[in-house]
DNA sequence: TCGCTGATCATCT
DNA sequence: GATGATCAGCGAA
């Protein structure tokens, strides 16, 4: 590869998602926390190796990559970048801004509003996203789609990604400063000790 | 508020 | 056969 891998614009795209809305049926979520995964050059990415599961990320951008995690949870990424770069951004948390009743029905009545879509698995659950949505085209306004933010950028903070055991110190997680729905940082128990 | 643990299975080696 | 981009519930402080 002689071309420089588009890490800079991937991170820029990730930041532009903060404050944007992901819409699924009646439910809309304003994203407050995301993580970038840089395909084959990122050991923490599922696309580090090209396998049947990660194949969707090597395809065209603006598709949904949904995977099943820890035997119980679904998590959703937005595929981005030119075909073959296998970049993706994991949606980690957000605030439910419409379809509150529907989201609460999926998550449980006792869940406080701030936590309805707090955490990647909670976010997919609130939106009703599952395995059948893998590969969905986000530019299709009829289905799950993205409404990019048009108002000024919020104040954004960057830090290390949550729960990854490889490349654990790369600051590719972004969140809106001070937002209550953002996950608490938790280092993977398998990650090597941070270098100091 | 913090830290540990069990649940549970698709995917990869 | 092991692993993991998680969550909720529990007990301790």
């Amino acid at each position: 590869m002689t071309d420089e891998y588009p890490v800079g614009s991937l991170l820029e795209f990730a930041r532009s998602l903060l404050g944007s809305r992901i819409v699924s049926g009646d439910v809309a979520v304003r994203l407050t926390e995301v993580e970038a995964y840089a395909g084959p050059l990122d050991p923490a990415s599922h696309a580090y190796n090209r396998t049947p599961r990660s194949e969707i990320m090597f395809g065209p951008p603006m598709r949904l990559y949904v995977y099943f995690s820890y035997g119980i949870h679904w998590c959703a990424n937005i595929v981005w970048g030119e075909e073959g770069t296998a970049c993706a951004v994991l949606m980690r948390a957000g605030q439910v801004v419409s379809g509150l009743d529907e989201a609460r029905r999926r998550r449980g009545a006792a869940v406080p509003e701030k936590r309805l879509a707090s955490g990647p698995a909670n976010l997919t659950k609130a939106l009703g996203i599952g395995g059948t949505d893998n590969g969905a085209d986000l530019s299709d306004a009829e289905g799950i789609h993205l409404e990019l933010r048009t108002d000024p950028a919020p104040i954004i903070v960057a830090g290390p990604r949550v729960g990854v055991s490889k490349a654990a110190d790369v600051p590719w997680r972004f969140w809106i400063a001070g937002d209550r729905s953002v996950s608490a940082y938790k280092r993977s128990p398998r990650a090597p000790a941070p270098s100091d």
Side-chain angles (χ1 to χ4, degrees), chain A residues 105-131:
Chain A
R105 186 156 39 243
R106 290 177 178 136
R107 292 276 290 118
V111 178
E113 188 172 331
K114 299 284 183 194
R115 286 194 175 173
L116 279 175
S118 174
N122 293 332
L123 185 141
T124 57
K125 198 169 178 184
L127 287 168
I129 292 175

Side-chain angles (χ1 to χ4, degrees), chain A residues 20-140:
Chain A
S20 297
R21 309 199 318 164
I22 176 92
V23 182
S24 170
D26 292 336
V27 180
V29 168
R30 176 176 175 267
L31 295 173
T32 57
E33 184 187 10
V34 298
E35 281 176 4
Y37 287 87
L41 63 68
D42 182 358
S45 172
H46 290 170
Y48 188 58
N49 297 305
R50 189 167 185 160
T51 65
R53 176 175 65 161
S54 61
E55 190 62 31
I56 183 73
M57 286 193 279
F58 288 85
M62 294 310 280
R63 301 291 172 91
L64 214 51
Y65 164 53
V66 182
Y67 69 95
F68 198 50
S69 175
Y70 290 90
I72 35 191
H73 304 297
W74 293 102
C75 301
N77 295 245
I78 296 169
V79 177
W80 183 85
E82 280 180 48
E83 206 164 329
T85 54
C87 293
V89 178
L90 171 69
M91 298 182 285
R92 285 199 57 88
Q95 303 170 332
V96 177
V97 289
S98 69
L100 207 56
D101 291 345
E102 185 65 26
R104 215 186 283 281
R105 186 156 39 243
R106 290 177 178 136
R107 292 276 290 118
V111 178
E113 188 172 331
K114 299 284 183 194
R115 286 194 175 173
L116 279 175
S118 174
N122 293 332
L123 185 141
T124 57
K125 198 169 178 184
L127 287 168
I129 292 175
T132 55
D133 299 302
N134 191 31
D137 185 349
L138 290 170
S139 59
D140 175 11

